[in-house]
Amino acid sequence: MTFPFSEFQERLNKTKQRMVNEGVDLLLVTDPANMNYLTGYDAWSFYVHQMLIVMLEDEQPIWVGRSQDTSAALHTTWLDTDHIVGYGDQYVQSGVRHPMDFVSDLLREKKCDNRTIAVELDAYYFTARSYMQLTKGLPNATFKDGTNMVNWVRIIKSEREISYIKHAAKISEKAMQVAFDTINEGVRQSDVVAEISHAQISGTEDFGGDYPSIVPLLPTGDKTSAAHLTWTDDRFQNGDPVIIELAGCYKRYHSPLARTAVLGQPDETMQYVSDVVLDGINATLDAVKPGVTCEELEAVWRSVIEKSGIKKESRMGYSMGLNYPPDWGEHTASLRPGDRTVLEPNMTFHMIPGIWMDHMGVEISESFLVTDTGCEVLADFPRDLMVKPNIRLA
């Protein structure tokens, strides 16, 4: 297992305390990251329905998934065989029966069909059909929204989690350097991403990498005005700006990193916007410390960029760490107005104050750890507009 049994027990106890506080008897966990967090379960099986059933009175959650994935649960979790339950393939992608029918039957067998049950209503892998089948199969139960109940437990990282994130940061440094080295005039975007992906998975000499929750993003040219484009097989041209957003991943823990590169001399607008973004990042990082709220950090950023005439309406960062596709964010705290989450030591954030205009965009980001006195930037990579060649033209 990736963590000692005692750490899993602590996580489970904190989750149960949240359940008690919310008046919840059972929590059905379908978010793969939350399943991993509570038990260690790690497999590419989230394309079919699976869950943990967390009961206040049971010392172990019950893993429920496809029968052929029960072996993965035995290999990766701390659960005993009595708490690993598989359903047959007649439930898989069937128009006649649904895995939540199996779950409903299981909960009735355990006399839990009249309990207060929380489900992760806004989790990516909990579908509308799942909810319909559960409420149909458990008409006497009271259902509540348990979205992010486990996520908020995850926001404070343990020392081992932090070590994994720091490993991921080393991988992100390597992958970003590979990206910068391979982006050249005449090279295909797809070939650059192939090299980035190789660097992400091969990792370092000391440790290998895992698959990140988001593929490398590589908007190029005037497409840098779009935040979430991937790549094409087009070839880079002289003068192209390129946004590179990627992450290192180690044992499902991420450390994202974004930079903007230019093939040739950047125009005045891109240079100006980059300088403003860098000033805002530096000021915001200087303001990070325990006791500061997320919205207070965003206000520092906004006070810097508004002097320049540039505005940013979207959030400029979020809590991150353990996750599965399609996102490496934790879906809890965000660096934006109205978020009064108080920063505490061992929180980790991705601060990505991207600026996207009609014809161009700039992304320069840092992942950071909140420490006892301030913050620690996780990746050691030059924080600047990346220019090729390295010597800027006069």
Side-chain angles (χ1 to χ4, degrees), residues 137-387:
L138 300 169
N140 297 320
T142 300
F143 285 92
K144 299 185 69 170
D145 187 1
T147 302
N148 291 344
M149 189 176 290
V150 181
N151 302 55
W152 280 105
V153 177
R154 287 165 44 196
I155 196 169
I156 305 293
K157 310 299 186 295
S158 70
E159 292 303 319
R160 186 171 296 217
E161 287 181 292
I162 291 169
S163 72
Y164 290 169
I165 293 173
K166 287 184 176 181
H167 280 20
K170 289 298 180 185
I171 296 172
S172 70
E173 294 170 11
K174 176 185 174 183
M176 186 61 73
Q177 187 63 55
V178 166
F180 182 64
D181 290 344
T182 54
I183 291 175
N184 286 296
E185 187 175 355
V187 175
R188 296 188 306 175
Q189 295 176 26
S190 52
D191 291 330
V192 170
V193 173
E195 295 299 323
I196 293 172
S197 298
H198 181 270
Q200 290 173 310
I201 304 304
S202 61
T204 73
E205 291 184 0
D206 296 324
F207 46 83
D210 207 339
Y211 60 90
S213 291
I214 302 177
V215 298
L217 304 180
L218 207 74
T220 300
D222 59 5
K223 293 179 182 178
T224 53
S225 62
H228 297 120
L229 295 181
T230 54
W231 62 88
T232 70
D233 60 357
D234 292 343
R235 297 182 185 275
F236 292 104
Q237 301 178 22
N238 184 51
D240 274 346
V242 185
I243 287 176
I244 311 158
E245 184 178 348
L246 51 81
C249 184
Y250 182 75
K251 297 188 184 298
R252 305 307 322 140
Y253 284 84
H254 294 76
S255 183
L257 185 66
R259 292 291 185 268
T260 300
V262 182
L263 278 74
Q265 186 174 10
D267 62 30
E268 291 183 3
T269 301
M270 173 152 288
Q271 187 63 65
Y272 177 70
V273 173
S274 298
D275 290 342
V276 171
V277 169
L278 288 167
D279 288 343
I281 290 174
N282 293 334
T284 306
L285 287 172
D286 288 343
V288 175
K289 62 180 179 181
V292 173
T293 65
C294 288
E295 68 173 1
E296 287 171 339
L297 281 186
E298 194 277 341
V300 172
W301 151 262
R302 187 160 22 90
S303 69
V304 173
I305 66 165
E306 285 186 347
K307 297 174 185 176
S308 68
I310 298 174
K311 290 188 177 181
K312 175 178 171 62
E313 301 300 331
S314 56
R315 66 180 181 173
M316 51 89 67
Y318 46 83
S319 178
M320 61 79 197
L322 167 69
N323 225 327
Y324 286 79
D327 190 18
W328 52 52
E330 287 183 327
H331 304 174
T332 49
S334 290
L335 306 181
R336 61 183 169 195
D339 193 322
R340 296 181 175 85
T341 303
V342 177
L343 268 61
E344 298 181 45
N346 290 9
M347 289 182 174
T348 51
F349 286 86
H350 182 211
M351 185 170 67
I352 179 165
I355 300 293
W356 300 281
M357 299 179 171
D358 291 339
H359 64 289
M360 57 82 71
V362 171
E363 286 186 29
I364 300 172
S365 82
E366 297 289 3
S367 291
F368 66 86
L369 165 71
V370 181
T371 66
D372 291 334
T373 57
C375 78
E376 177 184 348
V377 176
L378 294 169
D380 182 11
F381 198 88
R383 189 184 308 151
D384 203 354
L385 179 65
M386 300 162 60
V387 178

Side-chain angles (χ1 to χ4, degrees), residues 1-16 19 27-41 51-55 59-63 76-79 120 149-151 153-154 161 253 322:
M1 293 189 297
T2 51
F3 294 92
F5 172 72
S6 59
E7 186 160 336
F8 285 117
Q9 284 295 107
E10 182 179 2
R11 296 171 179 183
L12 184 60
N13 290 339
K14 289 180 178 178
T15 299
K16 287 184 176 181
M19 293 168 60
L27 173 63
L28 307 186
V29 178
T30 53
D31 184 325
N34 291 338
M35 294 177 66
N36 178 303
Y37 186 74
L38 293 176
T39 67
Y41 184 75
M51 69 166 55
L52 294 179
I53 301 173
V54 181
M55 303 181 187
E59 294 182 354
Q60 297 185 37
I62 300 172
W63 180 93
T76 61
T77 76
W78 56 273
L79 305 177
E120 296 175 316
M149 189 176 290
V150 181
N151 302 55
V153 177
R154 287 165 44 196
E161 287 181 292
Y253 284 84
L322 167 69

